[in-house]
Amino acid sequence: MQDNPVTEPPTVAEYHAHVYFDDTSRAAAAWLREELERRFAVRLGRWREQPVGPHSKPMYQVAFTPSLLGQVLPFLMLNRHGLDILIHPESGLGHAGDHTVRAAWLGDRLPLDIAFLERFDAGDLPG
């Protein structure tokens, strides 16, 4: 481990939580979205009714500043109502790594299209 460089948390620009849902869990996802918006200064992404980008299931994104991580993460842990949620930093070190090795899952780990993220990181996809 001593050969690995340390990445300091201040390099994180923001965090993203991807809240995944399906027809049976959409109501829980809507409730969680409303509560997040009411309680925290988060930016909510659009409802994605179909898989998009690297995501294998419908979802919406919640973006928040590093200063909110200590509040948003426990709230999601305690109130996810069975939803699967990916939480990752925007570290500037690459989207593929941010969505995998630097990520945390609440619930089940869903498949991601890592090749899509690698193409994005390589500049082969529009940003």
Side-chain angles (χ1 to χ4, degrees):
M1 283 301 209
Q2 293 178 356
D3 293 338
N4 292 334
V6 172
T7 301
E8 298 294 341
T11 65
V12 174
E14 65 182 5
Y15 287 90
H16 293 171
H18 297 277
V19 178
Y20 298 94
F21 62 91
D22 56 24
D23 290 340
T24 59
S25 62
R26 195 177 205 293
W31 176 86
L32 184 60
R33 182 182 175 92
E34 289 170 12
E35 288 297 312
L36 286 165
E37 184 174 39
R38 186 172 73 79
R39 293 168 181 270
F40 307 106
V42 297
R43 284 190 341 273
L44 295 170
R46 294 179 294 181
W47 287 90
R48 301 296 191 144
E49 302 292 342
Q50 301 294 325
V52 62
H55 305 284
S56 60
K57 225 178 143 175
M59 61 95 196
Y60 60 82
Q61 177 179 281
V62 182
F64 52 95
T65 62
S67 64
L68 287 177
L69 180 65
Q71 297 168 34
V72 173
L73 179 57
F75 182 82
L76 291 172
M77 293 168 83
L78 296 170
N79 294 285
R80 66 182 186 84
H81 298 286
L83 296 166
D84 300 316
I85 302 172
L86 167 65
I87 302 167
H88 69 84
E90 284 291 305
S91 70
L93 300 173
H95 291 86
D98 282 350
H99 284 73
T100 56
V101 297
R102 292 182 289 277
W105 283 91
L106 302 176
D108 291 336
R109 180 183 290 248
L110 302 177
L112 295 173
D113 183 350
I114 304 308
F116 175 91
L117 294 168
E118 289 169 342
R119 288 192 313 272
F120 186 83
D121 288 340
D124 295 339
L125 298 172

